[in-house]
Amino acid sequence: MKPNGLHERIIVALDYDDRGKALHLLDKIEMVRFVKIGPRLLAATDWSILREAADRGKEIFLDLKLHDIPSTVAGTIANLSRFPIFSLSVHAASGSATLKAAVQKSRSLSRPIHIWAVTLLTSFRDETAADELMLAGSPSEYVQHLALLARYCGADGVISPADQVARIKETCGQDFIVVVPGVRPAGWEPHDQQRSSTPARAIEAGADFLVIGRAITASSDPAASFFQIVEEINDALGKTG
Ligand code: C5P
């Protein structure tokens, strides 16, 4: 399933430490269709937050970033089938056996969960990624390699820094979903993101979805920030035709 309309290309990251705040945001911005829920909010609340978001008509990207052996990942996905989840993140660096097990388990469910593979965290800068992960090639080559691996294993898409989107689409195909986190409107604080992009640039590069947290959730007016980002994307696409 692909997003309908620009506002559906924004996945709002509900990185809150409080259930009330997360639900308040959903009630405040009805146009939000996709939300990211990860360990931070789950640990602050409980798994019923997934049903509460779904009851409000939201599609859930469960960003657990699983990085484990095939049987553990497949078993986790089987247990997650109790919840209304649209997509789930699994580290591509878990390897092909885990990725294939994840895809196979997900496809066996009555309501399959999309598997999105994590390539390189956007909090890495080039030098630290090369040193700390002991990469044989450049960080860009690493992202491209993992994207191809994920594609080969049947994943529905990848999570990637914005600067790699165009090449992933070229090598993996236009139908391969690319999700970009670390997105900041021009002039915003980068926080801990080292590979950030503006929403417009990420969409122009071909991103299907943008995961945006603090630029919306930490804003004094989250609804205004959400609509401003939609406008910014709209203007950029209008300019490029
Ligand atoms: O607040 P900010 O917009 O930086 O949040 C980015 C969101 O995207 C966070 O929820 C983070 O966990 C998620 N993410 C990321 N890098 C990835 C995958 C997910 O920043 N590679």
Side-chain angles (χ1 to χ4, degrees), residues 40-221:
R40 180 168 172 176
L41 182 60
L42 286 172
T45 59
D46 60 68
W47 292 83
S48 66
I49 191 77
L50 300 177
R51 291 215 174 84
E52 289 189 68
D55 287 347
R56 286 165 167 78
K58 308 306 173 194
E59 300 284 357
I60 295 162
F61 163 37
L62 186 64
D63 192 17
L64 294 185
K65 296 190 179 69
L66 298 176
H67 193 164
D68 216 318
I69 59 172
S71 57
T72 301
V73 169
T76 302
I77 292 172
N79 293 335
L80 286 174
S81 67
R82 297 190 295 130
F83 297 103
I85 296 166
F86 174 74
S87 57
L88 170 74
S89 54
V90 177
H91 269 282
S94 306
S96 63
T98 289
L99 287 172
K100 283 181 185 168
V103 169
Q104 197 183 16
K105 178 54 72 183
S106 164
R107 293 207 177 135
S108 73
L109 303 176
S110 56
R111 192 177 43 191
I113 298 172
H114 288 224
I115 302 297
W116 289 346
V118 179
T119 56
L120 181 65
L121 294 176
T122 39
S123 51
F124 271 116
R125 342 180 141 115
D126 271 9
E127 315 80 68
T128 27
D131 288 354
E132 294 180 8
L133 304 179
M134 240 175 102
L135 302 182
S138 67
S140 312
E141 285 167 330
Y142 182 68
V143 171
Q144 296 301 326
H145 168 76
L146 290 180
L148 273 172
L149 181 75
R151 174 64 156 169
Y152 163 77
C153 295
D156 301 280
V158 279
I159 305 175
S160 155
D163 60 357
Q164 298 302 312
V165 177
R167 229 175 112 204
I168 292 174
K169 287 283 184 180
E170 260 167 48
T171 53
C172 296
Q174 292 301 321
D175 61 331
F176 192 56
I177 298 287
V178 183
V179 182
V180 172
V183 174
R184 302 275 178 285
W188 259 76
E189 155 95 10
H191 303 109
D192 49 356
Q193 298 286 13
Q194 304 291 342
R195 317 178 81 86
S196 57
S197 159
T198 64
R201 254 193 292 131
I203 292 286
E204 281 170 328
D208 297 284
F209 291 100
L210 311 178
V211 183
I212 306 183
R214 286 162 288 188
I216 295 170
T217 57
S219 154
S220 54
D221 186 345

